[in-house]
Amino acid sequence: MSTPDPAPPGFELPLRLLLAFRTIIDELHERIAREGHPDLRPMHGFVFQAIGPHGTTAADLGRTLGVSKQAAGKTVEALEKLGYVQRGSDPADTRRKVVRLTDRGVDCLVRSARIFDELRTEWVATLGEEQLRQMEDGLRRLAPGDPFRLDTPRWFGGPS
């Protein structure tokens, strides 16, 4: 009679979750680079989501990401140089400067969504649809709430 394997140490769970996140994000960035977006960093996806379809100000972007207005402005400046965002006046209040995604930024989001679907399909091929759905359902129960919580970069130390 064999004894069951002991439970892994508690610290392994968050490390495995982080490693799974890194695996997906690193693969996304390898693929998105091959599709014409080689300068993107993981932080930029959070920024694109926070800007949204209607744009935002640097101050609001900073609040959403949980970073200072200056840090948000620095990130916007870098993304503007890369052609992913543009700043312009708010039609409702010309004193406000609004950051919006350019066509290049939108293209990146569309490609990213497709690549995430491809990566999920690859995980299904490895784990099976049922096991992956069980894992996703379990994570929804363990980590309820909005999956688009965008202040994670602040938690990791801010934008770069």
Side-chain angles (χ1 to χ4, degrees), residues 15-57:
L15 294 174
R16 291 285 172 197
L17 290 169
L18 181 60
L19 184 57
F21 174 79
R22 283 285 313 265
T23 298
I24 290 171
I25 297 302
D26 288 349
E27 183 62 27
L28 166 78
H29 281 269
E30 284 180 29
R31 293 181 190 193
I32 201 86
R34 290 193 301 262
E35 292 192 19
H37 299 279
D39 299 317
L40 289 179
R41 301 293 169 257
M43 169 62 183
H44 297 152
F46 289 99
V47 174
F48 290 174
Q49 293 297 323
I51 291 172
H54 305 293
T56 190
T57 65

Side-chain angles (χ1 to χ4, degrees), residues 101-112:
L101 294 174
T102 62
D103 289 344
R104 181 168 170 76
V106 171
D107 176 71
C108 181
L109 282 178
V110 169
R111 290 174 187 268
S112 294

